[in-house]
Each structure stands twice: as C-alpha cells, then as structure tokens.
Amino acid sequence: MGKAALSALIALFSSAGVLAESAGADPYQLNLTKGVTDISAQVYDLHMTIFYICVAIGVVVFGAMLYAMVFHRKSKGVKPAHFHESVKVEVAWTIIPFIILIFMAVPAAKTLIAMEDTSEADVTILVTGSQWKWHYKYMDNDLEYYSLLATRPEQIGGKYEKGRNYLLEVDRPLVIPTDKKVRFLITSDDVIHSWWVPDFAVKKDANPGFINEAWTKVNEPGIYRGQCAELCGKDHGFMPVVVIAKEPAEYNAWVADQAAAQRRAKEEEQKLLAMNMDMGELMSVGEKVYQSACAACHMPNGEGLPGVFPALKGSKIALTDMPKHIDIVVNGVSGTAMQAFGKQLSLKELAAVITYERNAWGNNTGETVQAKDVNAVMTGK
Amino acid sequence: MSTVADDLHHDDHHDHKPSGIKRWLYTTNHKDIGTLYLWFAFIMFLIGGAMAMVIRAELFQPGLQIVDPNFFNQMTTVHGLIMVFGAVMPAFTGLANWMVPLMIGAPDMALPRMNNWSFWILPFAFLILLSSLFLEGGGPNFGWTFYAPLSTTYSNDSTALFVFSVHIMGASSIMGAINVIVTIFNMRAPGMTWMKMPLFVWTWLITAFLLIAVMPVLAGAVTMVLTDKFFGTSFFDAAGGGDPVMFQHIFWFFGHPEVYIMILPAFGIISQIVPTFSRKPLFGYSSMVYATTSIALLSFIVWAHHMFTTGMPLFAEMFFMFATMLISVPTGVKVFNWVATMWRGAISFEVPMLFALAFIVLFTLGGFSGLMLAITPVDFQYHDTYFVVAHFHYVLVTGAVFSIMAAVYYWLPKWTGKMYDETLAKWHFWCSLISVNVLFFPMHFVGLAGMPRRIPDYSLQFADFNQWISIGGFAFGLSQFIFLALLLKACRKEGEPVSDKVWDGAEGLEWEIPSPAPYHTFETPPVVK
Amino acid sequence: MSEQQYQKYYVPAQSPWPFVGAVALFLIAVGAGNFVIETTKGKEGFGGWILLAGLVVLFYMLIGWFKNQIDESMSGMHSEQLGRSYRQGMSWFIFSEVMFFAAFFGALFYARVIAVPWLGGASNNAMTAEVLWPGFEAIWPLVKTPDGTTTTAMGWFGLPLANTIILLTSSVTAHFAHVALEENKRGRLKLMLGLTILLGLCFLGLQVEEYVHAYREMGLTLQSGVYGNTFFMLTGFHGLHVTLGTLLLIIMFFRVLKGHFSPQNQFAFQAASWYWHFVDVVWVLLFVFVYIL
Ligand code: HEA
Ligand code: HEA
Ligand code: CUA
Ligand SMILES: [Cu+2]
C-alpha cells in the first residue's frame, strides 16, 4: 500500500538533482526531442525524413505556383492557353506520390513493430492514472506509491514566482533502471488519461478497465519529464509525469530501500491504532492532506464547484453522520469522481483529513476522528 | 452554355418577395434560406471566435489568470463544437442553397419546405447548447470529441442538453443533405449531364452522401452517451463488458468523414474560382471528380488514425496508417490540378483569387502536417499536442474558412448586384493572412516541443511562443471586423453595380442570370448545350 | 436523366409549418433533456411538461403540414418530377435510418468480437485479464459481466420466432396491398392494408410481453451489462420504428377509406410501405444477430 513516509522519499529524490536534466527547457525549442532511447532516436529520424520530403514537395508545388503567379499574369498581357487535360501528366502525379508514400511507409512500419514488442522485459511497472495523479506499482517488488503535482498553488495563481520546473515536478517520481527493458502496464481508475514521456517516445492511453502495454530502454541516467496527454477533466493540465532513470545498481538499492520503508510505515500504522491524536495535530496534518489530496475538487475553501463537486463546508455529511463521512472518504462513491482514498492515504492522514473537514471553514463539530475509527470502517468493525 | 437571360429579365417584373419577419420565418425560397444560413454561420463564427479569444487570453502567459480550468475546458469544447457544427457546416450549406440551384438551372431546392425546417432548427439547437453554459456546473467540458467516460460517468448533468442539441444539429444536416442530393439528382436543367456539372455541385453531392452516412452514427454515439450516463447502460464501461475505446471508434467513424465534409465543398469552391481568375478552363475536370470520390470513399476506412495511442493491436495500427497515407494521393491530384490550371493562364488577383491562392498554399501545409500525423510511430509523439491543433487549424481555418470567405467575395456581387468594397476586402485579406500565420504557425513549434492540447496552463518553456500565438489570435479576430463591416455595407446595397457576368473569366449558369439574382430564377429551365 | 422532360416545378409558397416544427423540436429537446435529468437524478422541474408541450406542437405541425400536402396532392399540383423528388428524399431518409441502426449494430459487433474477448485476455490484452479481471469468462451472450452482474440470455425460439413470422408476413401483405393499389383493386387494398396493420399491432403486443418477461422473470434489463444494453437498445429502437410505421400505415388506411391514392398518385402510400419493408429488414438482421447467433 502506498503509505510511505513522505519526508524520507523526498530526501531521497532530491539527491536526484545532481543527475543530468533532459534538455527540455529551451524556450525556443522548435523541434521534436531526439530523446534518450534507441526508439526515440528512430522516431526522431522518421519525423525528420518525412518533414524533409514534405518540404521538397512543397518547394516543387509552391515553386510552380509562384512561377505561374509571377509570369502568367494578366497584367503582363499574356494570352491564356486552353489546355485542360493531359492523361500522361495526371497519371504521373498520381503514381509518383504513391511511390513516395511507400518510401515513408517502410521505415515507419519497422519502427512501429519494434515499439509494440513488449516481450522479454526486465522490469514491469503498473501505471494507473486517476484524477489527477499517477500511481506506480512495481510488479516484481513490494512497492507502490502515488505521484502528484508538486508545484505550489501559489505559483499557479501568480502569488509566488514560478520555479524552473513549473508544472513539471512531482512529489514522488517514478524510478527506473537504465539499460534494462522496462515494461509499463498502463490503465486508469476513472477517465482516460495518457502516460507520456517525450524523451522515451512513449505515449499510451490509460483506459479504465483495460491494460495497455508499452516499453522503454533508457540509455542515459537522468530526469525525464512529461505530462498527461488526454483530456481527463478539470486538472488535466496539472498531471505531470516525472521519471528518474538510475544505473541498475543504484536502482536496485533504491527499490530495496523503498520496499523496506513501506513495510516499516505499515507496521508503525498498527501502533497508531492504540493512540489518540489531539485536535491540534489532527488539524495541522489534516489541512496539509486536504490541500494536496482533496482541494483539487472540493476547493481549498471547501466550497466545491456547484453542480460538479459538492461543497464540504456546511455539508450534512461533514456535520453529522461521521461513519458515513469516513466511509465516503475511504471507499469513495462509485460511479462518481469521488475516489476511494483508503488506499491512497495512511490511517493517520485519513483520520486527520476527516477531522479537518469536520472542523474547518465553520464546520465546527468539535469532534476528532482517530485512526482506529477509520480502521473500524475499513475492516468493517 | 445557354441563353436564358432574356427570359429571366422578364421574370424580374413579377418578382414579389414577401416582406417583414414572416419572409424569413416562413420562407421556402432557396436564396432566402441560403442567406439565413450564411448569416447564422457568421454569427456563430463570431461567438466561437470569442471563445477562442478567451482561450488565447488565458494562454497568453503561464499561470491561471482569467478563467478557472473547468470553464477553460468548456470554452475549448464549445469553441470546437460551434466552429464545426455552427460555423463551417452551415456556411457550406448556405452556399449550397444559394448556388446549387443556380448552377444546375433549377427553380429552387427540391424540397423547399423541408429546407426551411432544416435551417430553423439550427438556431434552436445552438441556443440549447449555449444556454447550458449558464447552468449550475456549466456546459459540456469534455472536448468536442466527448470521449467516454469523461462525458458519461464523470460529466455534469447538462450533458443531457448537449446530447439533444447534437441530435437536432444532426437532423438539420441530414435534411439539408437529402435536399442537396435530391436537387442534384432530379432538378438539373436539360443537358446538364453529370460530367458537365460544376465542381462545386459535384463536391457538394459527395459531401451530402458523407453527411447522410455519418450524421446518424453521431446520433447513435450521443444516444449511447445519454444512456450510459443516465440509464445505467455500460456501452463504454469495462465493468459491464463494454469499452471506452468503443466510443472512440464510433465517434471517429463519424468524425473523420466529418472533417472531409468540411473540406470537400471548399475544394469545389477553389475549383470554381481558380479557373475564373486564370481565365483558363479547370485542368483535369474528370480527375477532380474521381479524386473527390476517392477521398470520400477512403475517408470511411481511416478513422482510427485519431486513436493510435489507444492501444490497438499492431495490425490495426498498420492498416489505419497506410490507409490514411493513401488519402494524400487524390488530395495531391487536386492541388496539382489547381496549379496546372493557373499554369499559362492569364492570372489576376481579385480578392476571391487571393483567398483561393492562400487556401492552396496553407491547406497544403495543413495536409503535410496531416501526413506526418498519419505516421503511427511519430504520431505517438504528436498526438494530443499543439502540433495537432496546428494541423487542424491550417486545414480548417486557412482551409475551410478561407474557402468560405473566397466564396463569399466571389458570389457576393451576384447576390447583391453591387461590387463589394475592394479596399476593405484587400485589408481584410492581408490582415487575415498575416495574423493567421502568426496565430497558427508557432503552434507547430510548441507542439513538437511537447505542449499538450486542452490545458489552461503550461510550463515556462512554452511562454514566449504562446504570447505570439495569442497576439496573432487577437489580430486575426480583429481582422474579422473588417469583414463584418464589408458585409454590412454590402447588405445596405452600397457599391458599384455589376454586370450579369461579374468576373470576365467566369463560366456557368449562375453568371447568365441578372445581378442581383432575381427572387425567382429558372422557373422555366434553361437548356444546357 | 437529363434527357427527360423538365416540367414546371411546383415551388410551394411560404409555409408556417416548418417553423412551427422547429419550435416543436426545440421544446422537445429542452423538455427531454430536463426530463432525463429530473427523472434520473431526482430533481424538480418542468422537463416533462415542456416535452409534452413539444410533442403537442409537433403533432399540430404534422397534421397541418400533412393536410397541406394532401390538399396539394389531391388538387393535382404535384408533377411527376416532384413525385420523384419525394421518392428520392424518402429513400435517402431511410438510408440515414439504416446508418443509425448501423451505429448500434456496430456497438454489438464491437462488444462481442472485440471488447468482451479482450476483457478475457485476447489479442494484446493478456494483462487486462490477468491483472484487472481474473476469473472473468469471455463468452457471448455475456451472462456474467466483468463486475459480476448476472443475467440470462434471450433465446430465439418461441416468441421472437413468432414475431419474425408475423413481421415477415406483414411485409408480404404490405406488398400485396401495393399490388392491389397498382391494379386499382380497392377492396383487396383495404383488406391487405388492414391485415398489415393488425400484424404490426400483434408484433408490438408480443414485444411488450417479451420485455415484461425479460424484466420480471429473466433478470434481463437495460442495465444488465453490454448484452442487455445492446439487446434493449436495438430491439427498443426497432420497436419504436415499428410503432411509427404502424401509425403511418393507419393514416394511409384512413386515406384509402377516403378514396385517396391512385395507381398514378400514391407517393405517401409508397413511402409508408417502403418504411415498413425497411423496418422488416432491420428485424431480420436483429433476429439473426441479436437472438440466434
Ligand atoms: C478540414 C479538415 C481536415 C482535413 C482536410 C484533414 C486532412 C488530413 N488529416 Fe486531419 N484532422 C482534422 C481535420 C482535417 N484533417 C481535425 C479537426 C483533427 C483533430 C481532431 C481532434 O482530435 O480534435 C485532425 C487530426 C488528424 C490526425 C490525428 C492526430 C492525432 O490526434 O494524433 C491525423 C492522423 O493521421 C490526421 C491526418 C490527416 C491526413 C493524412 C489528412 C489528409 O487528407 C491530407 C492530405 C493532403 C496533403 C498531403 C497535401 C497535398 C498533397 C500533395 C501536395 C501531394 C503530394 C504529397 C505527398 C505524397 C506527401 N488528422
Ligand atoms: C472550423 C473550425 C475552427 C475555427 C474556425 C477555429 C478558429 C480558431 N481557433 Fe480553434 N478549434 C477547433 C476548430 C476551429 N477553430 C476545434 C475543432 C478545436 C478542438 C476543440 C477540442 O479540443 O475539443 C479547436 C481548438 C482550439 C484551441 C486549442 C484549445 C485547447 O486545446 O485547449 C485553440 C487555442 O489557441 C484554438 C484557437 C482558435 C483561434 C484563435 C481561432 C480563430 O481563427 C478565431 C477567429 C475569430 C474570431 C476571433 C471572431 C471574431 C472576433 C470577435 C467576436 C470579437 C472578439 C475579438 C477580440 C477580443 C480580438 N482553437
Ligand atoms: Cu490525466 Cu489528462
Ligand atoms: Cu481524421
């Protein structure tokens, strides 16, 4: 379960800052990236080949047109010719483009076949999109976590200055090994998303209920950034993908570390059940969790978006029915955008955020919710 | 061709038009209905354009400034819907209404009352669509392609209104198309054989076939969205054995022919204008007809090129890639024929010709980017980025919309009897031409550099180009006010009177009737030799 | 085509009916939209009433427009060429209906041949079955959906077969009615047309019974996964078309009683009978693809 301790992870990832950044930040980048895999290089070459062919055809066609516009104009006193047919010419300009197309189709087919061959992978990762975050699960290790946008809302709103990786930074990036064939199993929990990293030339839709496969084999360690590429609702623009490629040895150490950390976090959670947290702690943790996990829909002020996302401020459920409140947050409301947070947040975080919702914005119930209350709902008492 | 002018001048005398508002509400006259369609389309173009201005203003710089993301998505969606179904399609239908009967020597459309019906349901459909923006939760916000399940389980309730308004738009298009087909099949003047028909008539005939074949499929798609959202079906939900990608197949089976619906009549228009101002017959008339037919047929087997990233099996990706590439061949034939028509002609550069020339170059540019998109492995990089947005605005704005403007300048003197204001027209052309490229060309760059479409905010590296794009957008929008001014002047019948055959190189029945075209024409059919 | 005589074409004068029809469709769309929201989301509103008003206006429009049309036709204002326009218009309308059904048949084939097998792991979806839907069995009819909803499949024997025979027979009687009209045998015409209508009504009655049976006893509903979805959407839209066709035939019956139509002047009759044959063909396809296979 994705309940790793946040701080430890961030510390680990921040060391990644020393790694080479991909060259994606040039404000006058005009062209496709070459990327860092053999496939992405092939794709780039294909793109350039076809581009040059189009330019060549354009030069011929527009050249002829320009010539006619300059030399065959009425103001020059030319008398118009009368021809209006020529089978030979017409056949020629049907067949020649056709042949050109074949020259494009052959390399395109080759690259495509290579891209779709996901067999014999060394590492398999299940990538699940949901509104508006990515979830990564290492199929061969006991490790999984969510990855959310890390840019501060104040930067988006223009209150703070925008950082270097504005909108392209996440709290917990995906980590993969270099020089290994990594297979991605891509799916979604709600609407269609699309997992895209330009440097790998991988873009695959995440369809709810189906699994798509893609793969990559990264040649250079580094940080690679992409974005969700399918309209997935309100915050489609705020759903970046960040991947860190590490040398295999480093990668293995990282995975072992993370898996251990997740195990430890789970054990700690059990201890929590016996403890009571006080209101102050719950509210301060709760506010943080709320702003990162819930505010996208229910809005930072708890007022929601009328007709789309319900307000929690003054909501009957948040003011009265506590078990129902816990149930909704833990299990979600199926058939709506309200997802199940039981597997996304730790017991402590759940307890805190529910307490927060019951006491913020004038929802003054004065009640605290403890980890054991949440656990009771989760396990069905 | 024929000599019918005397006969028609005689008709002038009992040229009684009904007056007042009823003239327009109850009309069965193809010219009135054509005018209604054209004005409706223009108003929709302004409304859809105003929404594009909202989009461009928000994207002027990074960060969220003007609108919230939910509203931004509504703007994108409704902009797309309005431009496609409200501006371009009705404008073409309006031109067909005005010109097809005149070009084939028919007294009116074949089914005049249905003609009125198919127009008047349109404003109502868009009234519903636009008013849904003011409901709680807002209007449609799932893109003009309304992919499930974003448009089903995860949409707001106004989806029901969206669905029914699309039904009405579809009904309107189907009725309009039936009318065009029947008119062309059944009302051609004696001697107007198939291979003598002007190309605008041909392209519209084929467009009408496409419309009848695919609009009902769109109706089916929205119906399934309705039942999935409100009545518990699971066509697009894996949990019940359906598939969200199935929606995309059904939608694009409609959607791809739809984009050719928006370009074939444009091809027709350009094929009328280029010979006129080159003073030389159209090169390769019959190959133009065959090319149009091939494009239409091919358009039914390429739909999944919009879905390369959905995870189709390899053979399907290959098939749709190759089929899509093939469309370049007949389209190329058209482009080459236009250039060959100009070759050794005596070209002059009146405004309709200027727009037509801009069309040829800029549409071809859009075609090239289309071909690049067709290459599956590279489309993985382009898909859902601004590169796609650049592609389709080149084929739609500098393609379809420019052709409509060319057509309006070409036939306006015939409609009003007066030459339009040429100074304004030249200003309109040059301002539009320059600004439209500032607007859409840099979209290729940001797209290739990795900017996704349908986002209200973007990372810093895209900031500079987006500023250019927005400035180009505002300039292009303002340029359209010149057009508006020109049209208003034309409607007040200002300007020099023109002769029957407005352009010295023009050929065809429409130039043999008086200018302005009398309210009733060809009550007795002309004979085409 | 262009060899033929070109007659003076009848271009109708102004008519209020299309505009009335546009208002009707407007009310229907607004009403239906709100009605759907209100009934399924339990909201308050006037959707149902607006819808009803729209239907009333539509009905008013149809009566007015048809009456107008019939009067013109009876007073001989319709030339042969105009008749051709009507016939061609009707055929293309029917073609558009075919394409509407094609969307739903397409959904059926896609679900059956592609989506359900993929959910079971076919093609490039091995991991879909393994990770997301272990234990799901891809069979058609899909009596158990991936999320576990169960239902029963509708057999073809019995009621559906009876309905097939009824509808096929009605197509034959409709044809004989037309022959009788061509030969100007009014008695036979009335008999055959009457029979066709009766058979149509029988079909509808039996279909209602089938639906009741499906809902009450078989647990087969519109919500039972993609099998139930396609079953009810296809047969439902078909049933709607049969209803419409029967109404048209009933109108024709009254016009025949009033002595309308002749071997030369019979567009409306022909249109109704074409429509009937179309509805019949759709049923045969339905019977094969929804029930038997
Ligand atoms: C008028 C509308 C119009 C037209 C005419 C076209 C024309 C073409 N389109 Fe485009 N297209 C759209 C409107 C249009 N498109 C829209 C609206 C979308 C986006 C929808 C959405 O997602 O919202 C889209 C998206 C789109 C995609 C999906 C991209 C993606 O989402 O990933 C693809 C992929 O194949 C594509 C391909 C093509 C091709 C190959 C043509 C061809 O027809 C072009 C053929 C023309 C030429 C090639 C130029 C002239 C030819 C020559 C001079 C001859 C010689 C040339 C060669 C041999 C190269 N289009
Ligand atoms: C024929 C169709 C057509 C036309 C003509 C246009 C015209 C324009 N389009 Fe659009 N567009 C689409 C079809 C079209 N578009 C489609 C199908 C989509 C995809 C939607 C989707 O993703 O679902 C799209 C998406 C789209 C986007 C991407 C949005 C996104 O992905 O989030 C953008 C962004 O810049 C854009 C811009 C423009 C601009 C600036 C114009 C300009 O040409 C408009 C110019 C006209 C005017 C501006 C009107 C006149 C002026 C006024 C009324 C006064 C106001 C003027 C000022 C304040 C200056 N369009
Ligand atoms: Cu997730 Cu867009
Ligand atoms: Cu397409």
Side-chain angles (χ1 to χ4, degrees):
Chain A
M1 303 242 142
K3 296 170 186 171
L6 242 158
S7 51
L9 276 165
I10 289 181
L12 250 170
F13 290 128
S14 53
S15 68
V18 250
L19 288 167
E21 249 299 7
S22 63
D26 171 11
Y28 285 98
Q29 183 185 340
L30 302 178
N31 203 354
L32 208 58
T33 170
K34 274 201 183 77
V36 291
T37 67
D38 296 349
I39 288 283
S40 70
Q42 275 185 44
V43 166
Y44 175 82
D45 290 341
L46 202 53
H47 158 77
M48 289 317 285
T49 312
I50 291 165
F51 173 67
Y52 286 132
I53 294 177
C54 287
V55 170
I57 297 174
V59 167
V60 174
V61 175
F62 303 149
M65 195 172 145
L66 203 68
Y67 185 89
M69 280 161 65
V70 173
F71 294 101
H72 303 156
R73 56 210 278 171
K74 193 183 161 215
S75 55
K76 293 216 159 168
V78 289
K79 287 270 158 299
H82 285 287
F83 65 87
H84 55 86
E85 230 167 17
S86 160
V87 177
K88 259 187 251 157
V89 183
E90 288 171 61
V91 168
W93 68 40
T94 311
I95 295 199
I96 295 172
F98 187 79
I99 294 171
I100 297 176
L101 289 178
I102 294 176
F103 277 101
M104 298 176 175
V106 172
K110 274 193 191 140
T111 306
L112 185 59
I113 291 168
M115 287 174 106
E116 295 294 352
D117 177 13
T118 53
S119 60
E120 291 169 34
D122 303 309
V123 177
T124 299
I125 298 169
L126 178 66
V127 179
T128 310
S130 63
Q131 286 179 328
W132 293 279
K133 51 193 154 245
W134 293 102
H135 177 254
Y136 300 114
K137 179 173 182 184
Y138 291 76
M139 300 297 272
D140 319 304
N141 305 81
D142 191 13
L143 176 60
E144 61 181 306
Y145 54 88
Y146 279 88
S147 172
L148 273 80
L149 176 74
T151 302
R152 306 277 311 152
E154 291 85 353
Q155 288 189 15
I156 297 171
K159 283 201 206 75
Y160 297 175
E161 206 186 322
K162 296 176 174 49
R164 196 162 96 92
N165 290 315
Y166 178 67
L167 296 189
L168 295 178
E169 49 202 347
V170 297
D171 54 357
R172 283 168 270 186
L174 174 67
V175 177
I176 59 169
T178 53
D179 297 320
K180 292 263 190 277
K181 186 162 181 177
V182 182
R183 179 171 67 144
F184 303 108
L185 305 178
I186 300 172
T187 184
S188 163
D189 275 342
D190 39 45
V191 299
I192 302 176
H193 304 266
S194 192
W195 196 80
W196 178 33
V197 181
D199 283 308
F200 305 165
V202 169
K203 182 188 286 151
K204 254 305 179 257
D205 288 3
N207 299 322
F210 289 83
I211 285 186
N212 277 330
E213 300 187 22
W215 68 273
T216 191
K217 192 168 164 198
V218 181
N219 298 333
E220 287 164 46
I223 306 178
Y224 305 106
R225 296 172 199 275
Q227 277 173 274
C228 175
E230 181 62 62
L231 177 61
C232 52
K234 181 171 126 323
D235 283 355
H236 160 59
F238 304 93
M239 199 174 156
V241 174
V242 180
V243 181
I244 300 182
K246 290 176 188 278
E247 302 281 0
E250 241 183 286
Y251 165 81
N252 286 334
W254 181 87
V255 171
D257 241 37
Q258 291 306 308
Q262 285 205 350
R263 258 194 314 278
R264 249 179 287 124
K266 242 181 262 174
E267 283 156 17
E268 299 228 337
E269 222 162 44
Q270 292 308 310
K271 287 186 212 148
L272 255 178
L273 290 179
M275 298 197 292
N276 271 344
M277 287 176 285
D278 65 41
M279 187 61 126
E281 187 186 2
L282 283 168
M283 285 299 278
S284 75
V285 175
E287 175 165 15
K288 246 189 244 142
V289 177
Y290 181 85
Q291 296 303 344
S292 73
C294 322
C297 298
H298 297 290
M299 296 290 121
N301 57 11
E303 285 170 7
L305 277 182
V308 188
F309 303 118
L312 299 177
K313 177 180 176 179
S315 137
K316 226 195 224 140
I317 288 172
L319 286 175
T320 54
D321 194 350
M322 190 198 298
K324 178 87 188 149
H325 189 169
I326 298 175
D327 175 59
I328 287 182
V329 178
V330 168
N331 299 318
V333 183
S334 77
T336 74
M338 181 63 203
Q339 21 188 287
F341 285 91
K343 62 172 185 154
Q344 301 190 23
L345 303 172
S346 68
L347 284 178
K348 179 179 168 186
E349 287 166 335
L350 285 167
V353 76
I354 296 169
T355 307
Y356 179 74
E357 285 177 351
R358 299 180 78 79
N359 294 285
W361 328 293
N363 284 3
N364 296 320
T365 59
E367 301 162 337
T368 58
V369 178
Q370 299 296 343
K372 61 175 180 297
D373 302 328
V374 179
N375 192 53
V377 172
M378 271 178 151
T379 53
K381 298 271 140 63
Chain B
M1 287 199 189
S2 69
T3 45
V4 288
D6 308 295
D7 196 27
L8 283 157
H9 279 295
H10 161 76
D11 275 351
D12 246 353
H13 299 295
H14 50 215
D15 197 22
H16 38 243
K17 318 182 194 186
S19 54
I21 181 79
K22 277 192 189 164
R23 164 174 174 197
W24 301 103
L25 295 187
Y26 296 168
T27 183
T28 48
N29 181 287
H30 72 105
K31 301 185 184 80
D32 280 354
I33 295 176
T35 307
L36 284 170
Y37 263 115
L38 286 167
W39 271 111
F40 173 75
F42 191 61
I43 292 166
M44 283 294 138
F45 176 67
L46 295 183
I47 297 177
M51 291 174 179
M53 294 301 109
V54 174
I55 296 173
R56 282 324 320 169
E58 177 55 54
L59 294 177
F60 187 74
Q61 46 175 301
L64 291 178
Q65 286 88 24
I66 299 171
V67 295
D68 69 274
N70 192 40
F71 189 71
F72 182 90
N73 288 347
Q74 294 172 41
M75 285 295 105
T76 299
T77 306
V78 181
H79 161 69
L81 288 168
I82 291 215
M83 286 303 197
V84 169
F85 295 104
V88 172
M89 289 170 68
F92 281 137
T93 314
L95 290 170
N97 258 292
W98 250 104
M99 300 320 296
V100 167
L102 294 186
M103 289 176 142
I104 63 173
D108 203 304
M109 296 294 278
L111 304 161
R113 276 183 291 231
M114 190 173 82
N115 203 16
N116 175 308
W117 201 22
S118 54
F119 171 74
W120 274 109
I121 61 182
L122 261 192
F124 288 121
F126 283 91
L127 190 68
I128 298 175
L129 182 67
L130 286 171
S131 62
S132 76
L133 285 173
F134 299 99
L135 293 180
E136 193 189 57
N141 56 7
F142 27 63
W144 84 285
T145 51
F146 57 105
Y147 280 10
L150 188 60
S151 62
T152 57
T153 314
Y154 298 89
S155 67
N156 48 42
D157 289 346
S158 72
T159 306
L161 292 167
F162 159 80
V163 166
F164 286 106
S165 76
V166 171
H167 273 138
I168 299 189
M169 293 171 205
S172 163
S173 296
I174 292 171
M175 289 195 282
I178 290 177
N179 228 328
V180 169
I181 295 183
V182 176
T183 306
I184 296 173
F185 267 53
N186 199 27
M187 311 259 306
R188 276 171 292 131
M192 176 63 76
T193 56
W194 290 110
M195 292 314 259
K196 275 191 194 154
M197 280 189 342
L199 260 170
F200 180 68
V201 179
W202 256 116
T203 51
W204 238 111
L205 178 65
I206 290 165
T207 304
F209 287 135
L210 289 181
L211 277 167
I212 298 189
V214 301
M215 292 312 287
V217 176
L218 175 67
V222 289
T223 306
M224 288 182 236
V225 163
L226 185 80
T227 58
D228 260 22
K229 175 157 180 63
F230 293 102
F231 298 107
T233 60
S234 36
F235 286 106
F236 310 131
D237 180 0
D243 182 352
V245 175
M246 173 162 92
F247 171 83
Q248 299 179 31
H249 281 288
I250 301 175
F251 178 84
W252 288 114
F253 182 84
F254 145 80
H256 187 81
E258 167 68 22
V259 308
Y260 291 108
I261 287 167
M262 293 189 282
I263 207 67
L264 293 184
F267 290 165
I269 290 165
I270 303 306
S271 305
Q272 302 295 135
I273 293 178
V274 169
T276 297
F277 297 98
S278 305
R279 294 168 183 76
K280 189 163 154 278
L282 182 70
F283 187 87
Y285 173 92
S286 43
S287 64
M288 284 297 216
V289 173
Y290 302 137
T292 312
T293 316
S294 332
I295 294 174
L297 290 176
L298 282 172
S299 79
F300 285 106
I301 54 162
V302 301
W303 74 86
H305 64 219
H306 297 271
M307 304 166 50
F308 285 143
T309 62
T310 56
M312 287 182 293
L314 181 63
F315 75 87
E317 290 180 329
M318 295 262 208
F319 172 82
F320 286 108
M321 165 163 72
F322 298 148
T324 305
M325 291 169 77
L326 271 185
I327 295 195
S328 307
V329 175
T331 316
V333 168
K334 300 207 142 244
V335 174
F336 302 142
N337 280 343
W338 292 323
V339 175
T341 306
M342 291 166 62
W343 194 257
R344 295 186 48 215
I347 304 171
S348 60
F349 298 93
E350 286 84 347
V351 175
M353 184 64 166
L354 290 176
F355 272 101
L357 294 173
F359 172 98
I360 298 176
V361 174
L362 298 177
F363 166 78
T364 303
L365 222 81
F368 287 153
S369 56
L371 182 72
M372 295 171 78
L373 290 164
I375 310 296
T376 313
V378 205
D379 180 68
F380 291 157
Q381 293 283 47
Y382 307 140
H383 176 70
D384 262 330
T385 66
Y386 264 76
F387 191 78
V388 179
V389 180
H391 157 66
F392 67 72
H393 282 96
Y394 265 93
V395 284
L396 281 169
V397 179
T398 58
V401 172
F402 269 31
S403 82
I404 292 164
M405 289 172 175
V408 168
Y409 283 115
Y410 187 53
W411 285 308
L412 194 59
K414 173 57 65 187
W415 301 335
T416 64
K418 300 286 160 56
M419 186 47 82
Y420 51 77
D421 184 329
E422 282 179 76
T423 324
L424 282 185
K426 287 233 156 74
W427 272 100
H428 174 222
F429 172 74
W430 287 108
C431 290
S432 296
L433 180 72
I434 294 165
S435 57
V436 88
N437 283 294
V438 178
L439 166 57
F440 294 123
F441 205 81
M443 285 189 182
H444 292 111
F445 302 144
V446 288
L448 290 176
M451 178 169 162
R453 60 192 281 210
R454 296 166 166 170
I455 55 173
D457 190 6
Y458 46 84
S459 57
L460 300 179
Q461 56 167 325
F462 307 124
D464 294 23
F465 278 131
N466 268 290
Q467 218 158 68
W468 293 25
I469 294 171
S470 290
I471 291 169
F474 303 143
F476 184 67
L478 290 176
S479 311
Q480 303 321 309
F481 285 113
I482 309 177
F483 192 40
L484 179 64
L486 179 142
L487 290 175
L488 290 175
K489 276 181 87 169
C491 282
R492 281 193 277 127
K493 307 260 174 176
E494 288 172 26
E496 290 291 304
V498 291
S499 64
D500 294 358
K501 185 172 170 178
V502 178
W503 315 105
D504 60 328
E507 297 275 350
L509 286 178
E510 82 260 40
W511 306 111
E512 292 174 21
I513 55 169
S515 303
Y519 199 57
H520 296 288
T521 35
F522 297 127
E523 281 178 300
T524 37
V527 177
V528 182
K529 293 193 195 82
Chain C
M1 168 70 65
S2 41
E3 308 301 305
Q4 80 218 348
Q5 262 299 159
Y6 186 111
Q7 295 142 324
K8 194 165 161 61
Y9 200 80
Y10 173 65
V11 177
Q14 294 220 318
S15 165
W17 300 116
F19 188 76
V20 175
V23 174
L25 285 192
F26 173 62
L27 293 174
I28 289 174
V30 172
N34 283 299
F35 185 63
V36 165
I37 299 171
E38 285 151 20
T39 45
T40 58
K41 305 276 159 167
K43 290 191 183 156
E44 299 279 308
F46 308 101
W49 296 108
I50 302 175
L51 176 59
L52 201 69
L55 289 172
V56 170
V57 178
L58 185 74
F59 205 62
Y60 170 68
M61 177 279 268
L62 285 175
I63 292 177
W65 195 334
F66 281 157
K67 187 170 174 311
N68 194 193
Q69 194 75 28
I70 293 167
D71 290 346
E72 281 169 14
S73 161
M74 297 311 290
S75 56
M77 285 152 102
H78 291 178
S79 64
E80 202 183 309
Q81 194 186 4
L82 187 63
R84 259 198 315 277
S85 285
Y86 285 152
R87 281 186 183 80
Q88 289 178 6
M90 187 67 193
S91 344
W92 289 111
F93 168 68
I94 289 178
F95 176 65
S96 79
E97 291 267 49
V98 170
M99 291 310 293
F100 181 73
F101 275 99
F104 290 94
F105 274 110
L108 171 66
F109 295 144
Y110 186 94
R112 217 180 137 152
V113 181
I114 298 178
V116 169
W118 283 8
L119 287 165
S123 185
N124 56 350
N125 274 273
M127 295 311 280
T128 301
E130 197 180 311
V131 177
L132 298 178
W133 310 109
F136 170 67
E137 244 186 294
I139 42 161
W140 192 269
L142 185 70
V143 289
K144 186 164 181 222
T145 62
D147 69 355
T149 318
T150 54
T151 183
T152 3
M154 182 67 76
W156 60 272
F157 203 73
L159 217 147
L161 183 64
N163 254 348
T164 309
I165 294 167
I166 290 174
L167 217 51
L168 282 178
T169 319
S170 80
S171 226
V172 175
T173 54
H175 175 73
F176 279 125
H178 188 222
V179 173
L181 174 59
E182 289 279 330
E183 293 170 358
N184 221 352
K185 296 192 176 134
R186 307 294 290 192
R188 274 251 307 277
L189 169 60
K190 282 174 205 158
L191 176 69
M192 286 297 162
L193 191 54
L195 265 178
T196 314
I197 295 170
L198 273 182
L199 288 167
L201 291 174
C202 281
F203 175 91
L204 286 172
L206 285 179
Q207 192 166 9
V208 169
E209 193 171 314
E210 182 188 27
Y211 277 16
V212 171
H213 177 67
Y215 263 79
R216 291 240 178 97
E217 278 124 60
M218 297 173 62
L220 175 59
T221 70
L222 181 63
Q223 285 87 13
S224 340
V226 79
Y227 176 75
N229 303 160
T230 48
F231 176 84
F232 281 102
M233 292 295 265
L234 276 163
T235 56
F237 271 114
H238 177 263
L240 219 63
H241 282 77
V242 177
T243 315
L244 206 76
T246 312
L247 276 175
L248 285 179
L249 289 178
I250 291 174
I251 297 172
M252 294 311 130
F253 191 68
F254 283 110
R255 287 190 65 187
V256 168
L257 288 185
K258 279 176 87 176
H260 290 189
F261 303 126
S262 67
Q264 291 77 38
N265 187 357
Q266 41 150 298
F267 162 69
F269 183 90
Q270 213 174 21
S273 93
W274 281 351
Y275 196 76
W276 195 254
H277 291 309
F278 148 70
V279 165
D280 202 31
V281 171
V282 172
W283 176 262
V284 174
L285 292 176
L286 269 176
F287 186 60
V288 174
F289 291 112
V290 175
Y291 289 93
I292 298 185
L293 290 179

